[in-house]
Coordinates of all heavy atoms in Angstrom, one line a residue:
M946 N 35.9 -1.6 37.6 CA 34.9 -0.7 38.3 C 33.7 -1.4 38.6 O 32.9 -1.8 37.7 CB 34.8 0.5 37.3 CG 33.8 1.6 37.8 SD 33.6 2.9 36.7 CE 32.6 3.9 37.6
D951 N 25.5 2.1 47.0 CA 25.7 3.5 47.3 C 26.4 4.3 46.3 O 26.5 5.6 46.3 CB 26.5 3.6 48.6 CG 25.9 2.9 49.8 OD1 24.6 3.2 49.9 OD2 26.5 2.2 50.5
T952 N 27.1 3.6 45.3 CA 27.9 4.2 44.3 C 27.4 3.8 42.9 O 27.4 2.6 42.6 CB 29.3 3.8 44.4 OG1 29.8 3.9 45.8 CG2 30.2 4.6 43.6
P953 N 27.0 4.7 42.0 CA 26.6 4.3 40.7 C 27.8 4.0 39.9 O 28.9 4.4 40.2 CB 25.9 5.6 40.1 CG 26.4 6.7 40.9 CD 26.7 6.1 42.4
L954 N 27.6 3.3 38.8 CA 28.8 3.0 37.9 C 29.2 4.2 37.0 O 30.3 4.3 36.6 CB 28.3 1.8 37.0 CG 28.2 0.4 37.6 CD1 27.6 -0.6 36.6 CD2 29.6 -0.1 37.9
W955 N 28.1 5.0 36.8 CA 28.4 6.1 35.9 C 27.4 7.2 36.2 O 26.3 7.0 36.6 CB 28.1 5.7 34.4 CG 28.3 6.8 33.4 CD1 29.5 7.2 32.8 CD2 27.3 7.6 32.8 NE1 29.2 8.3 31.9 CE2 27.9 8.6 31.9 CE3 25.8 7.6 33.0 CZ2 27.2 9.4 31.2 CZ3 25.2 8.6 32.3 CH2 25.8 9.5 31.4
M956 N 27.9 8.4 36.2 CA 27.0 9.7 36.3 C 27.2 10.6 35.1 O 28.4 10.9 34.8 CB 27.5 10.4 37.6 CG 27.1 9.7 38.9 SD 25.3 10.0 39.3 CE 25.5 11.7 39.8
P957 N 26.1 11.2 34.7 CA 26.3 12.2 33.6 C 26.9 13.4 34.3 O 26.7 13.7 35.5 CB 24.9 12.4 33.2 CG 24.0 12.0 34.3 CD 24.7 11.0 35.1
S958 N 27.7 14.2 33.6 CA 28.3 15.4 34.1 C 27.1 16.5 34.2 O 26.1 16.4 33.5 CB 29.4 15.9 33.2 OG 28.8 16.4 32.0
A959 N 27.3 17.4 35.1 CA 26.4 18.5 35.2 C 26.2 19.3 33.9 O 25.1 19.7 33.6 CB 26.9 19.4 36.4
E960 N 27.3 19.5 33.2 CA 27.2 20.1 31.8 C 26.4 19.4 30.9 O 25.6 19.9 30.2 CB 28.7 20.4 31.3 CG 29.6 21.3 32.2 CD 30.2 20.6 33.4 OE1 30.1 19.4 33.5 OE2 30.6 21.3 34.4
A961 N 26.6 18.0 30.8 CA 25.9 17.2 29.9 C 24.4 17.2 30.2 O 23.5 17.3 29.4 CB 26.4 15.8 29.9
V962 N 24.0 17.1 31.5 CA 22.6 17.2 31.9 C 22.0 18.5 31.5 O 20.9 18.5 31.0 CB 22.5 17.0 33.4 CG1 21.1 17.3 33.9 CG2 22.9 15.5 33.9
Y1350 N 32.1 -1.4 31.8 CA 32.9 -0.3 32.4 C 34.3 -0.6 32.6 O 35.2 0.3 32.6 CB 32.2 0.2 33.7 CG 30.9 1.0 33.4 CD1 29.6 0.4 33.5 CD2 31.0 2.2 32.9 CE1 28.5 1.2 33.2 CE2 29.9 3.0 32.5 CZ 28.6 2.5 32.7 OH 27.5 3.2 32.3
K1355 N 34.9 3.4 30.0 CA 34.5 3.9 31.4 C 33.5 5.0 31.3 O 32.5 5.0 32.1 CB 35.7 4.4 32.2 CG 36.6 3.3 32.7 CD 37.8 3.8 33.6 CE 38.7 2.7 34.0 NZ 39.8 3.2 34.8
D1356 N 33.7 5.9 30.4 CA 32.8 7.0 30.3 C 31.8 6.9 29.2 O 31.9 7.3 28.1 CB 33.5 8.3 30.0 CG 32.7 9.6 30.1 OD1 31.6 9.5 30.6 OD2 33.1 10.7 29.5
V1357 N 30.8 6.1 29.5 CA 29.7 5.7 28.6 C 28.4 5.5 29.4 O 28.4 5.0 30.5 CB 30.1 4.6 27.7 CG1 30.0 3.3 28.5 CG2 29.1 4.4 26.5
A1358 N 27.3 6.1 28.8 CA 26.0 5.7 29.4 C 25.5 4.3 29.0 O 25.2 4.1 27.8 CB 25.0 6.7 29.1
L1359 N 25.5 3.4 29.9 CA 25.0 2.0 29.5 C 23.6 1.9 30.0 O 23.2 1.9 31.1 CB 25.8 1.0 30.3 CG 25.5 -0.5 30.2 CD1 25.5 -0.9 28.7 CD2 26.4 -1.4 31.0
S1376 N 18.0 7.2 30.7 CA 17.7 8.6 30.7 C 19.1 9.3 30.8 O 19.9 8.9 31.7 CB 16.9 9.0 32.0 OG 16.9 10.3 32.1
P1377 N 19.4 10.2 30.0 CA 20.7 10.9 30.0 C 20.9 11.8 31.2 O 22.0 12.3 31.4 CB 20.6 11.8 28.7 CG 19.2 12.1 28.4 CD 18.5 10.8 28.9
V1378 N 20.0 12.0 32.1 CA 20.1 12.8 33.3 C 20.2 12.0 34.5 O 20.3 12.6 35.7 CB 19.0 13.9 33.3 CG1 18.9 14.7 32.1 CG2 17.6 13.3 33.5
L1379 N 20.2 10.7 34.4 CA 20.2 9.8 35.6 C 21.5 9.0 35.6 O 22.1 8.8 34.6 CB 19.0 8.9 35.6 CG 17.7 9.6 35.7 CD1 16.6 8.4 35.6 CD2 17.5 10.3 37.0
P1380 N 21.9 8.6 36.8 CA 23.1 7.7 36.9 C 22.7 6.3 36.5 O 21.5 5.9 36.4 CB 23.4 7.7 38.5 CG 22.0 8.0 39.1 CD 21.3 8.9 38.2
V1381 N 23.7 5.5 36.2 CA 23.6 4.1 35.9 C 24.1 3.3 37.1 O 25.1 3.4 37.6 CB 24.5 3.7 34.7 CG1 24.5 2.2 34.5 CG2 24.1 4.4 33.4
W1382 N 23.1 2.5 37.6 CA 23.3 1.6 38.7 C 23.5 0.1 38.2 O 22.8 -0.3 37.3 CB 22.2 1.6 39.7 CG 22.0 2.9 40.3 CD1 21.1 4.0 39.9 CD2 22.6 3.4 41.5 NE1 21.2 5.0 40.8 CE2 22.1 4.8 41.8 CE3 23.5 2.9 42.4 CZ2 22.5 5.6 42.8 CZ3 23.9 3.7 43.5 CH2 23.4 4.9 43.7
Q1387 N 17.5 2.1 34.0 CA 17.5 3.4 34.7 C 16.1 3.9 35.1 O 16.0 4.4 36.1 CB 18.2 4.5 33.8 CG 19.7 4.4 33.7 CD 20.3 5.4 32.8 OE1 20.2 5.2 31.6 NE2 20.9 6.4 33.4

Side-chain angles (χ1 to χ4, degrees):
M946 178 179 181
D951 302 315
T952 309
L954 288 169
W955 178 86
M956 284 280 290
S958 69
E960 295 77 15
V962 170
Y1350 284 105
K1355 288 184 178 179
D1356 185 18
V1357 69
L1359 175 57
S1376 169
V1378 302
L1379 293 176
V1381 173
W1382 296 91
Q1387 284 173 288

